[in-house]
Amino acid sequence: MDAMPMVADPLTAGLDDEQLEAVLAARGPVCVLAGAGTGKTRTITHRIAHLVASGHVAAGQVLAVTFTQRAAGEMRSRLRLLDATVQAGVGAVQALTFHAAAHRQLRYFWPRVVGETGWQLLDSKFAVVARAASRTRLNVGTDDVRDLAGEIEWAKASLISPEQYPSAVAAAGRDIPMDAAKIADIYTAYEALKVRDESVTLLDFDDLLLHTAAAIENDAAVAEEFRDRYRCFVVDEYQDVTPLQQRVLSAWLGDRDDLTVVGDANQTIYSFTGASPRFLLDFSRQFPDATVVRLERDYRSTPQVVSLANQVIAAARGRVAGSKLQLSGQRAPGPAPSFHEHPDETAEAAAVAKAIARLIESGTAPSEIAVLYRVNAQSEIYEEALTEAGIAYQVRGGEGFFNRQEIKQALLALQRAAERGAEGPLPELVREILEPLGLTASEPVGTRARERWEALTALAGLVDDEVAQRPQLDFLGLVTELRNRADARHPPVVQGVTLASLHAAKGLEWDAVFLVGLADGTLPISHALAHGAESEPVEEERRLLYVGITRARMHLALSWALSRSPGGRQSRKPSRFLNGIAPQTRADPAPTKARRGRGAKTRCRICNHDLTTPAAIMLGRCETCSADIDEGLLTRLKAWRLDVAKEQKVPAYVVFTDNTLIAIAELLPDDEAALIAIPGIGARKLEQYGPDVLDLVRAR
């Protein structure tokens, strides 16, 4: 591949060295590993503009694809702005989602490859899945139908047929709402029901991709026309492609390699939809001559936020972790991230609301503040706390707690029971009424069923709190109080504080972020832990926390509660992902003199068990727990230690013990705060050896 010539300054000015390398890379396979906040959209839009302005490809021959309409719209906007500067027709570049691109192509090629049979896009598969379940003589509820639709989507995105589904689910260890064979039968019936008659076929969104790929793969004339039309491809968020999307991309490319992909495997958080980072991880194997550029300069967050993100992801394990990027904060220093332990969730929410009020008073716009949590049901207590504080908010990526359908159904059921004169202890009575709506004794399997269960559990907990505070309350009074709470909530406003799940926050950023509910069983979520402490589902939960941290520009607060309700048993532990990072002390009650002398227990950063031996405490993990280690760095650290020991004429262990060096090679601290957090490194050793050690880590 020939190197590309330099072009006009507007396309290269203001780019850092790595961004410039990506923009000017020779035409052909290019992989940009872009960490959070490193300017990936700027980089790829400038690369596209450079390709066009340099005459290597016409603007109309470029197809850039991403995963959301918002991201595609942002890409188009940036290309239009660049076009106004370079005037090379860059605005004609097609920037679309995978499905939008496939929709256009299929609409064009369908008559040629299928003939007169028409097709109709199925906006929602709910009704067809419900009919398919009925055809197999299964009596399923609304949540079951939604979960079944999700399973069909996962299977199709993963290129799994109905016949393959049971074995594929077993191999993946996937949580499913019912027997795999029954789901396979419903999947088969669903596919049959879409063929209405000879004149029209119903296609769902996955079918758009399947039929587009098949048209190009099976018809040489179609392939030739398409590949003559599009010659250059760019894929954003490549870590999130599914096997089906990769099949489409491969069909688009044919035997060509004019492809640029951008992604970060350590931001892979959508595996439940079929997304897989393996295509990003295998890119250099598929294209041995590919140019690989690493963007690690973070322009979004302060060095303090970046350091915490690096510490969290440094403990990751598995193949994905091998591609981790060591971010370097480029902004001016800011406040250190804060960690807060609370006796219960009510206290946690109240403290967050007060902190938000202080930020607003000091000049931070409410729209630049976010509260992020693991599951949507956690929003209720923050909606209440913000309402009481008079702070407007919006719930992003979901509905407000009392606007959720299951909560509306629950309030209606409680109202009717109260009007009938139902009697009994209120907490037990409420649970009895909510049980038919989905409040089972144990957490159900299935995404939608679990979400309903979480919401109803939160409502039952709200009832417990209300009864504890007002023991004299009768049933009708309780229902009235719940209705009043629902009516008092602020309507969504764009200028308000954002409440969002961590999944919904992907791709967004705020000046101030509050990461809440960071307790084991919530993050990592309990059903991930069921797969094992070192499983891939737990690693994905770690990546979810990493994504949450990297949403913050300046202010970052992390918090957890020791119990759900005021006065409850304080049995929760902070998230295992914070072990060795957050202070392991309890805020309440204040420690006595004797307790201070003993100190707080330290827990394994991998399995969360208490650490008891000096070696384990030094490593920050059980000695039996495996962890990734940079062997090359460890060798260099030992060589450096030996030189220092000889110079100072002391035994090597006096400089640092082997376990301290192993901890450094595992945790890869990138600043003094991260280094001194490692047991065995105090202020004196930090001053003596810190600069040398950090230089070795950064040069690895």
Side-chain angles (χ1 to χ4, degrees):
M1 296 180 291
D2 297 328
M4 288 181 156
M6 294 290 289
V7 293
D9 282 345
L11 293 181
T12 59
L15 300 176
D16 65 36
D17 291 346
E18 294 77 24
Q19 291 172 341
L20 189 62
E21 181 184 357
V23 167
L24 300 180
R27 201 179 83 175
V30 175
C31 177
V32 182
L33 300 175
T38 57
K40 70 179 180 67
T41 305
R42 173 183 172 85
T43 301
I44 57 176
T45 50
H46 277 247
R47 173 165 175 76
I48 291 169
H50 170 65
L51 289 167
V52 173
S54 300
H56 286 271
V57 67
Q61 293 177 318
V62 179
L63 178 58
V65 288
T66 187
F67 288 84
T68 67
Q69 294 287 359
R70 185 187 64 79
E74 181 183 359
M75 196 179 294
R76 289 193 296 268
S77 297
R78 295 207 188 193
L79 287 168
R80 283 195 295 268
L81 287 173
L82 282 172
D83 197 33
T85 302
V86 300
Q87 297 183 349
V90 179
V93 168
Q94 294 290 307
L96 303 164
T97 65
F98 265 102
H99 289 94
H103 193 183
R104 290 188 182 188
Q105 295 159 26
L106 192 61
R107 190 169 52 199
Y108 178 79
F109 288 119
W110 182 273
R112 186 186 309 180
V113 297
V114 177
E116 297 182 0
T117 301
W119 63 277
Q120 179 181 334
L121 184 60
L122 189 62
D123 290 331
S124 170
K125 58 171 61 72
F126 183 91
V128 182
V129 173
R131 286 173 55 206
S134 178
R135 177 172 285 193
T136 59
R137 299 185 178 180
L138 279 176
N139 184 18
V140 295
T142 299
D143 291 339
D144 290 325
V145 173
R146 292 196 174 113
D147 280 338
L148 288 166
E151 284 306 298
I152 292 171
E153 288 172 5
W154 171 79
K156 297 182 76 168
S158 303
L159 297 176
I160 294 166
S161 68
E163 296 75 22
Q164 297 168 324
Y165 178 83
S167 59
V169 165
R174 188 171 174 84
D175 294 327
I176 54 176
M178 61 183 66
D179 180 72
K182 292 180 180 178
I183 296 176
D185 289 342
I186 294 170
Y187 182 5
T188 300
Y190 167 79
E191 291 297 318
L193 283 168
K194 286 188 300 169
V195 183
R196 286 185 171 176
D197 52 49
E198 295 181 358
S199 62
V200 64
T201 297
L202 291 174
L203 301 184
D204 59 30
F205 284 97
D206 294 312
D207 291 329
L208 293 179
L209 302 178
L210 283 165
H211 283 275
T212 297
I216 298 172
E217 291 165 348
N218 300 328
D219 191 308
V222 168
E224 182 179 1
E225 182 174 348
F226 175 84
R227 291 168 186 162
D228 185 60
R229 172 73 172 83
Y230 292 108
R231 301 191 176 188
C232 177
F233 301 89
V234 177
V235 184
D236 190 16
E237 302 286 4
Y238 193 53
Q239 78 278 353
D240 288 332
V241 296
T242 66
L244 174 54
Q245 289 163 337
Q246 180 62 42
R247 178 180 167 185
V248 172
L249 179 60
S250 298
W252 287 344
L253 280 168
D255 58 2
R256 302 170 299 171
D257 63 1
D258 199 347
L259 170 66
T260 298
V261 301
V262 188
D264 177 5
N266 283 284
Q267 294 190 63
T268 304
I269 59 173
Y270 296 112
S271 64
F272 60 92
T273 66
S276 172
R278 75 174 185 269
F279 305 109
L280 177 64
L281 297 174
D282 289 342
F283 192 82
S284 294
R285 295 180 185 177
Q286 182 181 1
F287 301 104
D289 296 328
T291 299
V292 179
V293 182
R294 298 168 69 93
L295 302 185
E296 297 179 300
R297 303 191 203 196
D298 187 327
Y299 298 96
R300 174 189 300 159
S301 306
T302 63
Q304 289 78 8
V305 172
V306 168
S307 175
L308 180 61
N310 285 336
Q311 285 179 265
V312 166
I313 207 63
R317 299 178 308 283
R319 190 181 175 207
V320 172
S323 69
K324 66 173 71 82
L325 299 164
Q326 186 75 9
L327 298 179
S328 173
Q330 303 298 301
R331 291 185 60 142
S338 59
F339 299 88
H340 307 275
E341 184 171 272
H342 301 280
D344 54 73
E345 290 180 358
T346 302
E348 183 182 8
V352 168
K354 287 180 182 178
I356 289 173
R358 288 194 295 269
L359 280 173
I360 294 172
E361 288 171 5
S362 65
T364 303
S367 60
E368 286 295 344
I369 301 172
V371 179
L372 306 182
Y373 36 77
R374 176 61 179 86
V375 297
N376 288 322
Q378 291 173 267
S379 76
E380 188 280 327
I381 201 164
Y382 293 93
E383 293 179 55
E384 177 71 13
L386 292 173
T387 298
E388 289 185 357
I391 300 171
Y393 65 85
Q394 59 174 337
V395 180
R396 185 181 182 90
E399 297 174 304
F401 183 78
F402 283 104
N403 288 329
R404 296 183 64 167
Q405 189 62 35
E406 56 265 36
I407 298 302
K408 289 181 178 180
Q409 292 172 348
L411 292 183
L412 181 59
L414 293 175
Q415 179 81 45
R416 289 173 175 169
E419 290 171 351
R420 291 196 306 268
E423 295 181 351
L426 292 184
E428 290 81 358
L429 181 59
V430 166
R431 282 170 170 77
E432 182 181 330
I433 294 167
L434 298 184
E435 183 177 357
L437 300 181
L439 185 61
T440 53
S442 58
E443 183 177 336
V445 174
T447 302
R448 179 58 191 141
R450 187 182 291 123
E451 288 176 352
R452 171 181 284 268
W453 182 85
E454 288 164 348
L456 294 176
T457 299
L459 180 61
L462 185 60
V463 169
D464 293 344
D465 294 346
E466 195 64 36
V467 172
Q469 293 171 25
R470 300 169 62 185
Q472 75 284 1
L473 202 63
D474 62 15
F475 194 10
L476 193 56
L478 171 67
V479 173
T480 301
E481 175 60 27
L482 293 175
R483 289 286 187 192
N484 289 339
R485 287 193 181 213
D487 293 340
R489 298 293 164 89
H490 292 286
V493 288
V494 173
Q495 294 77 19
V497 171
T498 298
L499 301 180
S501 71
L502 287 163
H503 283 102
K506 179 75 166 66
L508 304 175
E509 58 187 79
W510 297 269
D511 284 346
V513 169
F514 293 81
L515 296 176
V516 301
L518 301 181
D520 253 17
T522 304
L523 188 76
I525 199 78
S526 57
H527 53 266
L529 287 170
H531 292 270
E534 299 186 27
S535 64
E536 171 54 26
V538 170
E539 285 303 306
E540 183 151 328
E541 295 287 299
R542 188 193 307 275
R543 297 194 292 268
L544 201 52
L545 176 59
Y546 176 72
V547 166
I549 291 170
T550 56
R551 300 308 95 196
R553 298 191 191 104
M554 292 181 289
H555 303 280
L556 177 63
L558 302 90
S559 62
W560 59 92
L562 300 175
S563 70
R564 200 203 67 76
S565 301
R569 184 166 156 277
Q570 297 186 350
S571 58
R572 293 179 175 176
K573 292 181 179 180
S575 171
R576 65 191 60 205
F577 303 144
L578 300 180
N579 289 345
I581 297 173
Q584 299 294 321
T585 56
R586 295 200 171 198
D588 203 30
T592 63
K593 193 170 187 179
R595 288 175 63 198
R596 271 197 293 267
R598 288 197 302 270
K601 288 184 178 179
T602 302
R603 288 185 282 271
C604 173
R605 67 177 189 269
I606 295 171
C607 72
N608 215 32
H609 287 159
D610 291 332
L611 301 178
T612 56
T613 67
I617 292 170
M618 184 75 70
L619 293 170
R621 60 172 172 82
C622 300
E623 293 171 84
T624 55
C625 285
S626 61
D628 287 342
I629 185 169
D630 189 322
E631 295 289 354
L633 174 59
L634 181 59
T635 300
R636 291 189 293 275
L637 285 168
K638 287 182 176 180
W640 163 83
R641 180 183 63 175
L642 183 61
D643 290 342
V644 171
K646 287 179 179 178
E647 181 181 337
Q648 296 181 354
K649 298 179 180 179
V650 297
Y653 69 82
V654 172
V655 181
F656 283 130
T657 66
D658 282 351
N659 281 331
T660 299
L661 295 186
I662 291 170
I664 293 169
E666 288 180 1
L667 296 172
L668 304 177
D670 68 338
D671 59 19
E672 290 187 352
L675 187 60
I676 202 170
I678 297 174
I681 303 179
R684 186 178 64 81
K685 288 194 175 183
L686 180 68
E687 182 179 353
Q688 277 185 293
Y689 309 128
D692 288 347
V693 171
L694 290 173
D695 284 346
L696 285 168
V697 173
R698 290 165 183 157
R700 66 186 176 87

